[in-house]
Amino acid sequence: MLYQSTRSKDRVTSAQAIVRGIAPDGGLYAPEALPSFSWDEILKLADMPYPQRAAHVLAALLPDFPEEELRRSAEKAYARFDGDSPAPLKKLGNTRVLELFHGPTMAFKDMALQMLPHLMRLAARKTGEERDIAILTATSGDTGKAALEGFADVEGTSVTVFYPLGGVSAIQEKQMVTSRGKNTHVIAVRGNFDDAQSGVKKLFTDPEFIEAMAASGKVLSSANSINLGRLAPQAAYYFSAAAQMMREGAVGRGKELDVCVPTGNFGNILAAWYAKRMGAPIGKLICASNANDVLTEFFLTGVYDRRREFKKTISPSMDILISSNLERLLFEIGGLEKNTAWMDALKKDGVFRLDRSEHEQLRAHFLCGSADDRETAEEIARMWREERYVMDPHTAVASAVLRKLRTEGKTKNPVLLVSTASPYKFAPDVCTALGIDVPDDPFAASEALCAATGLPIPAPMRELREAPVRHTRVCGKDEMGQAVLAEMGQAGDKGTGNGQ
Ligand SMILES: *Cc1c(COP(=O)(O)O)cnc(C)c1O
């Protein structure tokens, strides 16, 4: 099975797609065809430990990688997670919460970003790439730290993370600017996430920048959720969760579960879509947005219109107006020509419109909804009051949307609610939602949250408090290339920890 660019006839192997990150024409690599699992094959996953489940799913999606090799990588990647399973299920009535935040950065990005460096190294070897791989990535908050953690001191790689200055939580920022590793770089951009992401995309197709990097023996790649090496490990946890629900009888043979996903860049829910297409018993996919509800409107009307105010919310990792991974879905339903036209229109006019037939195809599979900050905070309070379950704001957006859809009778299957962050990662807002008085300091907020709920503070949060700042660079949105080159030039000076 090969992967094809969503914007040209460029076709590559899975290993090449991972090394490149994004296609040279600016497109994303999408599978030409998807493998398929039978009910019994999925059910058998329930008897395996998580790394083995993941390896089995990944081997089908990444044919260049033998299953045994993937299993060894997955064992290393998921060893850094707390608890018995990296992706445990919590039962709350007829909802199962899939907790994906037990990794080193307390957000679901770890599920893929602990795995990606292994895939990247193996893929580089398979494609004969001998240059160092320079990872460039934009983050709305959580990707950044997860990439920095995953790649820190991985031989033959470096990682540069751009984040919107003032556009991430205090804890997210602290996590990033304290990152260790000789090969890690963190740069704040004066702009919002879309500026940072567009800037990174431009660098990937900027011949002068590519040339300058090549001159120092580096080839660019991406750890953003557009990288196939991010997407594939995410499909695995949907199979894992489905297998467990099938084994427990929560999903009977021939029946389905619906998934509800707090969505930003559309990577997580796209992985659920691939899992569905690969035979996982998934009915509806519920795309939940915060006040930046461009996707909700898109699924309801078939019109994607980014010409709107960018809103900062208490679920910052979903504050996105251009959901990059949607392009893979658009390519699948519309094909190359239509997708290219839609993407051109989005770039030129900020808007595109699906034809009726494509819109109907989407409506058959996707439900959607949005929750603003007030509804999100109410949902956090309500889940604690009624279920004694503490949710982070991203998860609460999805939970609030699910509640509305259930009231409207739109989802009747058992639901897998995807929980993407630990409440401790957003402790001040969670405390406020719960009516707990909090000082401004996020660490004091963690202690207050722990005192009020009894939920233990995760180790990475405890360690963060004392960690020294190591990264201080800030740049304008048109200076990102120069900033990277300046960082690379200085790389030898890192590690003194005297970051003023
Ligand atoms: C990244 C992120 C999301 C959004 O995921 P996408 O794959 O970008 O849609 C939701 N919640 C949290 C906590 C995140 O870090």
Side-chain angles (χ1 to χ4, degrees):
M1 178 183 63
L2 293 176
Y3 285 79
Q4 187 192 333
S5 166
T6 52
R7 301 206 195 162
S8 76
K9 298 235 162 82
D10 179 24
R11 291 157 83 230
V12 297
T13 63
S14 56
Q16 285 168 323
I18 290 171
V19 171
R20 288 189 186 177
I22 189 167
D25 53 59
L28 279 54
Y29 287 115
E32 280 193 315
L34 282 165
S36 180
F37 292 94
S38 70
W39 183 276
D40 291 312
E41 196 176 1
I42 298 169
L43 191 58
K44 264 194 230 141
L45 296 175
D47 304 325
M48 305 172 184
Y50 189 83
Q52 219 171 311
R53 294 180 192 179
H56 193 69
V57 175
L58 283 168
L61 274 171
L62 308 174
D64 304 336
F65 299 75
E67 188 164 335
E68 184 53 29
E69 184 177 75
L70 291 164
R71 188 181 56 74
R72 281 195 303 272
S73 295
E75 278 168 359
K76 279 185 237 153
Y78 296 114
R80 294 191 62 200
F81 283 63
D82 272 354
D84 298 337
S85 162
L89 287 179
K90 295 274 155 73
K91 187 170 186 297
L92 299 181
N94 55 349
T95 303
R96 295 287 199 290
V97 183
L98 175 59
E99 292 187 345
L100 299 176
F101 55 76
H102 295 285
T105 75
M106 302 177 287
F108 95 99
K109 309 272 191 314
D110 289 328
M111 295 300 296
L113 275 162
Q114 285 296 313
M115 194 64 194
L116 180 68
H118 299 284
L119 295 175
M120 190 77 84
R121 233 178 0 190
L122 293 167
R125 207 185 304 144
K126 289 171 202 298
T127 58
E129 180 56 68
E130 281 166 9
R131 291 172 290 182
D132 282 0
I133 295 175
I135 301 293
L136 294 189
T137 199
T139 185
S140 59
D142 291 329
T143 301
K145 180 59 177 179
L148 291 158
E149 276 292 316
F151 282 94
D153 290 328
V154 171
E155 199 77 19
T157 71
S158 67
V159 52
T160 304
V161 169
F162 292 97
Y163 71 93
L165 187 61
V168 301
S169 79
I171 289 184
Q172 288 173 322
E173 185 169 42
K174 176 124 203 223
Q175 281 186 309
M176 289 190 275
V177 299
T178 57
S179 290
R180 291 158 189 282
K182 287 198 287 294
N183 60 343
T184 62
H185 309 278
V186 181
I187 302 170
V189 180
R190 288 186 215 97
N192 61 34
F193 170 70
D194 290 318
D195 295 326
Q197 176 157 268
S198 306
V200 167
K201 277 195 181 172
K202 264 191 229 147
L203 291 181
F204 275 101
T205 51
D206 174 347
E208 262 177 51
F209 179 72
I210 293 169
E211 183 63 31
M213 294 294 276
S216 55
K218 293 187 174 66
V219 58
L220 300 179
S221 190
S222 160
N224 252 6
S225 65
I226 51 178
N227 192 307
L228 173 63
R230 286 278 302 276
L231 207 50
Q234 292 178 178
Y237 52 70
Y238 287 104
F239 278 97
S240 169
Q244 210 165 316
M245 288 174 75
M246 288 154 67
R247 175 64 88 218
E248 289 165 9
V251 178
R253 191 171 279 270
K255 298 277 176 32
E256 292 177 330
L257 60 100
D258 294 342
V259 298
C260 182
V261 187
T263 296
N265 222 3
F266 210 76
N268 198 352
I269 195 167
L270 183 75
W273 166 251
Y274 283 161
K276 173 177 171 127
R277 299 247 291 112
M278 290 163 68
I282 294 171
K284 298 287 187 193
L285 299 112
I286 303 169
C287 176
S289 309
N290 64 22
N292 294 293
D293 56 355
V294 59
L295 283 169
T296 304
E297 187 182 283
F298 171 69
F299 282 110
L300 289 177
T301 65
V303 178
Y304 194 104
D305 190 348
R306 62 151 306 188
R307 299 167 301 175
R308 64 185 67 213
E309 189 197 342
F310 178 91
K311 295 184 183 145
K312 283 191 189 178
T313 72
I314 59 171
S315 45
S317 301
M318 299 159 70
D319 290 347
I320 289 176
L321 295 180
I322 304 177
S323 299
S324 299
N325 265 301
L326 183 66
E327 184 171 345
R328 285 188 166 103
L329 181 65
L330 295 172
F331 173 76
E332 203 174 314
I333 60 158
L336 180 57
E337 262 169 50
K338 279 194 174 172
N339 177 62
T340 310
W342 290 328
M343 290 302 120
D344 285 347
L346 184 62
K347 194 166 172 193
K348 229 173 65 235
D349 312 322
V351 58
F352 65 86
R353 179 186 298 272
L354 299 186
D355 295 336
R356 180 132 161 225
S357 72
E358 283 111 24
H359 185 214
E360 273 169 10
Q361 279 183 62
L362 290 188
R363 302 264 322 213
H365 301 282
F366 287 86
L367 294 171
C368 61
S370 65
D372 63 18
D373 279 355
R374 187 184 52 80
E375 294 168 306
T376 305
E378 277 173 13
E379 185 67 17
I380 293 172
R382 183 166 180 166
M383 288 307 277
W384 170 244
R385 203 170 57 235
E386 292 180 0
E387 306 283 352
R388 291 286 153 206
Y389 188 79
V390 193
M391 270 180 180
D392 99 288
H394 302 78
T395 310
V397 166
S399 187
V401 168
L402 174 59
R403 188 179 301 282
K404 289 192 229 182
L405 292 174
R406 276 193 173 135
T407 308
E408 293 164 12
K410 293 208 176 114
T411 164
K412 301 220 166 61
N413 289 325
V415 172
L416 187 68
L417 177 68
V418 179
S419 177
T420 50
S422 161
Y424 282 105
K425 198 157 185 181
F426 302 93
D429 287 320
V430 174
C431 283
T432 305
L434 294 179
I436 304 167
D437 259 347
V438 276
D440 232 8
D441 172 51
F443 297 100
S446 292
E447 275 156 23
L449 185 57
C450 179
T453 64
L455 188 70
I457 301 178
M461 178 60 78
R462 294 196 306 267
E463 288 154 16
L464 191 58
R465 190 168 205 163
E466 307 304 329
V469 172
R470 293 163 188 269
H471 306 270
T472 54
R473 191 178 296 274
V474 179
C475 76
K477 58 187 181 186
D478 300 318
E479 306 161 354
M480 290 167 58
Q482 294 99 296
V484 177
L485 296 171
E487 278 284 312
M488 298 288 159
Q490 273 184 9
D493 300 343
K494 272 286 161 54
T496 52
N498 68 338
Q500 279 97 47

